[in-house]
Amino acid sequence: YSRAYEDTMKRIKSEPSAVLVLKTISWIALIKRPLLTEELRYALAVESRNETFDPDGLTEIEVILSACAGLITIERQTHLVRFIHYT
C-alpha cells in the first residue's frame, strides 16, 4: 500500500487541485466523528487565515471526489465521507 499511496500523493501534489485535496484528507483524517458531505463542503469553504466563510467557495462534492483520486468515498445512504480503505 505504501508505494501506491506515495504514487497517488505525488500525482495529487502535481495537480492544480492539490490544496483542495490536502485540506479534504486532513479534515477526514483529523475529525473525531463521521463527516457528512455538506459539512465537508462548508469546512472547505472557510478561509483558514481569517476564519470566515466564503459562500462562493462551496465546492461540489463530485469535484472533491474527483480531485481526491480515489482516496475517499461517500456512503450514498448516509452521505458520510470516509477514506476508501482503512490504511
Side-chain angles (χ1 to χ4, degrees), residues 41-73:
R41 291 181 66 223
Y42 276 79
L44 294 172
V46 172
E47 297 291 333
S48 62
R49 288 183 209 99
N50 57 13
E51 297 180 359
T52 59
F53 172 71
D54 176 10
D56 294 328
L58 283 174
T59 305
E60 293 297 324
I61 199 65
E62 291 79 14
V63 172
I64 297 168
L65 277 173
S66 176
C68 287
L71 292 176
I72 67 170
T73 188

Side-chain angles (χ1 to χ4, degrees), residues 1 4 6 14 21 33 39 52 54 57 62 79:
Y1 293 114
E6 284 177 28
S14 70
V21 175
R33 63 169 179 76
E39 293 173 322
T52 59
D54 176 10
E62 291 79 14
H79 302 282

Side-chain angles (χ1 to χ4, degrees), residues 1-2 4-5 28 70-73 81-87:
Y1 293 114
S2 179
Y5 286 124
I28 296 170
L71 292 176
I72 67 170
T73 188
V81 183
R82 63 176 178 81
F83 287 112
I84 196 75
H85 195 267
Y86 70 92
T87 59

Side-chain angles (χ1 to χ4, degrees), residues 3-17:
R3 179 72 175 167
Y5 286 124
E6 284 177 28
D7 291 345
T8 300
M9 289 306 294
K10 204 179 290 184
R11 187 175 70 243
I12 286 169
K13 287 179 180 180
S14 70
E15 295 292 325
S17 59

